[in-house]
Amino acid sequence: MKKNNIVLVGGGSTWTPGILKAMTTHLDAFALNRIVLYDVDEKRQEVIGEFAKILFKEEAPEVELIYTTDKEVAYKDVDFVFCQMRTGGFAMREKDEKIPLSLGVIGQETCGPGGFAYGLRSIRDMEEMVKDVRRLSPDAWILNYTNPAAIVALALDKLFPEENRILNICDQPVNLLRSFASLIDEDVNNLESVYFGLNHFGWFTEIYDETGKDRAPEIKEIVLNGGFRPVDAEQRDQSWLETYAMVEDMLVDFPEYLPNTYLQYYLYPEYKLSKLDPEWTRTDEVHIGREQKVFQECRRIVENGTAKDSKVVHNDAHGDMMVEVAASIANNLRKTFVVMVRNNGIVANLPADSMVEVAASLGKNGPAPYAVGNIGTFYKGLIENQYAFERLTVEAYMEGSYTKALQALTLNRTVVDAKKARKVLDALIEANKEYWPELK
């Protein structure tokens, strides 16, 4: 088995330890030669990088591990790029959430105006990254977790239309599948799902077990009678528990399919707005929760010189999925994952150039998506509206168009009102002057 060279972009992220732990766990399926952690934030990178050295010294000493802030070092001669950058860091995420809320509109990291703002920031750095990688590692696979993945995926598809080694992925479908599996006492690895939609905007239609039986009806019945919690509830902040609980509400109103949790912001925008605090958002929760916990643990591990006693650093769906996707491509395993691909008729009655999120087998030639066919009017209407928002957002970036930016926000179901959209857009322009192109 070939030993792969990996660069992890966003190496100072709190998600990096979980990805690194997954790498050590999956060495039998995804062999490693060298790992480079790369981040533009030197202080964050150093903390995670020093932890990583200890982890690999103890669990995989044969793997070379370095960390750097030099992209010329990071992208040189790599086989896979694992990308999870956050342009603007948590300071800008806080503005993404709090500015819309201050103006009476939902403020959320990847949905609505917050996702719009984050997307316009992410496109520039993602475009630069792809160009740098292609200069230094022409044949590398780029596996992208960077949010908002729907906007980023569409932008990269427009900017690099001939690219066939960029794959945009999201761990929320597999997070949900793990939680569904726990409800019916099944191993998630024995379940195969049928899924359609856009990123953070989709539905499970069937979930098959090893016998070929569709377990989705049973799962829906359990949720409707007993609610829904993530399988790793003890590790989740309160806002995530509330997010998962809303699956029951969505099933009561729309019982045909099992929904992605993020749909709640689009289906119940007024209700969700009433539950959000403009002074205390998810960013604040992350700061005092995951952010502190992970960095404190990494510092403790470095101080003690061992990671063997850590109960904080462990495999999770985020890390496992990234490594398993890479392994399936590298070793031509053709395992099935839910990923983002250009539609081209997969969902027959959606635009061909939309970036749909569907099940696909993954091998050396990339994703081979499974056809969905026609979808119902309700889902088609919702998705076409959301896709129009995503496309106008990307076009606003590429054309520097204020009008298209305003059109995008006006279309979004979390906003709808054009006067609100203009106020939010103008406030976000002011906050993002260092990151966005000029919109005229």
Side-chain angles (χ1 to χ4, degrees):
M1 186 186 300
K2 178 186 176 181
K3 293 187 175 182
N4 295 280
N5 293 330
I6 310 297
V7 59
L8 205 166
V9 181
S13 165
T14 57
W15 293 104
T16 296
I19 295 177
L20 293 171
K21 182 66 176 177
M23 288 183 186
T24 65
T25 304
H26 293 285
L27 281 170
D28 58 335
F30 188 60
L32 298 170
N33 176 58
R34 184 182 76 244
I35 299 170
V36 181
L37 304 183
Y38 170 63
D39 206 299
V40 296
D41 188 322
E42 186 173 7
K43 291 183 179 179
R44 291 178 67 93
Q45 182 62 96
E46 183 178 6
V47 175
I48 303 297
E50 289 300 312
F51 149 78
K53 286 183 176 180
I54 291 171
L55 176 70
F56 274 81
K57 181 181 178 182
E58 291 183 331
E59 299 196 15
E62 71 282 4
V63 178
E64 178 188 359
L65 188 141
I66 64 171
Y67 60 89
T68 183
T69 56
D70 184 351
K71 65 184 180 183
E72 299 296 319
V73 174
Y75 298 145
K76 182 69 173 175
D77 297 329
V78 298
D79 300 299
F80 284 87
V81 179
F82 292 0
C83 185
Q84 51 171 7
M85 66 173 69
R86 182 183 290 280
T87 300
F90 278 100
M92 292 309 298
R93 175 178 177 172
E94 184 172 16
K95 292 182 180 181
D96 293 344
E97 294 170 350
K98 293 183 177 179
I99 288 173
L101 284 169
S102 73
L103 296 170
V105 175
I106 282 176
Q108 205 277 335
E109 178 193 16
T110 66
C111 302
F116 169 87
Y118 187 10
L120 288 183
R121 288 199 306 275
S122 296
I123 294 170
R124 181 193 67 182
D125 287 349
M126 288 296 297
E127 180 181 9
E128 179 182 313
M129 182 271 292
V130 172
K131 290 177 177 177
D132 287 334
V133 169
R134 286 294 168 255
R135 176 170 55 85
L136 295 165
S137 296
D139 297 323
W141 272 95
I142 299 171
L143 306 183
N144 177 49
Y145 259 149
T146 300
N147 272 320
I151 291 171
V152 170
L154 185 60
L156 293 180
D157 193 56
K158 299 296 185 188
L159 291 165
F160 304 100
E162 303 304 316
E163 264 285 351
N164 59 7
R165 291 200 168 206
I166 298 176
L167 185 62
N168 296 278
I169 62 176
C170 175
D171 63 6
Q172 190 57 5
V174 76
N175 273 318
L176 287 165
L177 199 57
R178 287 185 175 199
S179 299
F180 294 148
S182 71
L183 294 179
I184 54 175
D185 295 322
E186 281 283 353
D187 182 340
V188 68
N189 296 307
N190 296 333
L191 297 177
E192 186 167 342
S193 62
V194 180
Y195 186 93
F196 75 91
L198 308 173
N199 178 244
H200 287 184
F201 205 96
W203 294 262
F204 292 90
T205 61
E206 291 94 21
I207 298 176
Y208 295 108
D209 63 19
E210 281 189 304
T211 71
K213 181 181 179 181
D214 179 14
R215 306 295 292 276
E218 182 181 349
I219 294 167
K220 286 189 278 188
E221 192 67 24
I222 292 171
V223 172
L224 287 169
N225 286 302
F228 188 47
R229 288 167 59 84
V231 66
D232 54 352
E234 72 284 351
Q235 299 164 22
R236 299 279 188 148
D237 294 326
Q238 181 60 32
S239 65
W240 269 115
L241 301 183
E242 294 167 359
T243 292
Y244 273 70
M246 283 293 293
V247 170
E248 181 181 1
D249 295 71
M250 288 188 277
L251 278 177
V252 168
D253 289 331
F254 309 106
E256 188 174 12
Y257 301 139
L258 287 158
N260 192 303
T261 49
Y262 286 93
L263 283 164
Q264 64 192 273
Y265 295 103
Y266 304 102
L267 296 175
Y268 311 109
E270 291 184 10
Y271 173 79
K272 291 301 297 182
L273 179 62
S274 72
K275 297 296 182 181
L276 296 173
D277 182 353
E279 303 301 322
W280 182 264
T281 65
R282 174 70 183 146
T283 302
D284 298 298
E285 192 177 44
V286 171
H287 268 308
I288 67 166
R290 181 181 182 85
E291 183 83 0
Q292 285 191 18
K293 182 169 68 173
V294 171
F295 274 87
Q296 286 175 1
E297 179 66 358
C298 286
R299 290 188 179 99
R300 185 194 70 81
I301 287 169
V302 172
E303 184 177 335
N304 293 344
T306 180
K308 290 186 179 296
D309 60 345
S310 178
K311 296 181 180 178
V312 174
V313 177
H314 54 77
N315 288 45
D316 54 25
H318 185 88
D320 282 339
M321 182 180 181
M322 179 68 88
V323 178
E324 289 170 7
V325 163
S328 192
I329 293 172
N331 303 318
N332 203 33
L333 300 178
R334 305 195 64 78
K335 289 187 175 180
T336 298
F337 299 88
V338 174
V339 298
M340 282 158 261
V341 294
R342 192 186 303 164
N343 185 30
N344 282 345
I346 299 163
V347 183
N349 53 345
L350 289 180
D353 64 346
S354 58
M355 293 297 288
V356 293
E357 193 167 49
V358 294
S361 66
L362 296 181
K364 282 193 175 294
N365 293 317
Y370 306 140
V372 173
N374 289 316
I375 57 175
T377 303
F378 176 67
Y379 308 100
K380 181 175 183 286
L382 284 171
I383 290 172
E384 286 185 330
N385 176 270
Q386 180 70 3
Y387 170 62
F389 156 74
E390 293 169 1
R391 179 168 176 165
L392 285 165
T393 300
V394 171
E395 290 176 352
Y397 172 88
M398 296 177 73
E399 300 170 20
S401 172
Y402 180 96
T403 297
K404 287 194 171 181
L406 181 60
Q407 290 172 344
L409 285 177
T410 302
L411 274 178
N412 194 280
R413 283 182 56 85
T414 68
V415 183
V416 178
D417 184 279
K419 291 190 180 298
K420 281 186 178 181
R422 184 179 288 275
K423 288 180 181 178
V424 172
L425 176 58
D426 290 345
L428 290 173
I429 287 173
E430 182 63 26
N432 284 275
K433 286 188 294 187
E434 295 179 35
Y435 302 100
W436 287 6
E438 185 179 0
L439 302 179
K440 299 180 181 178

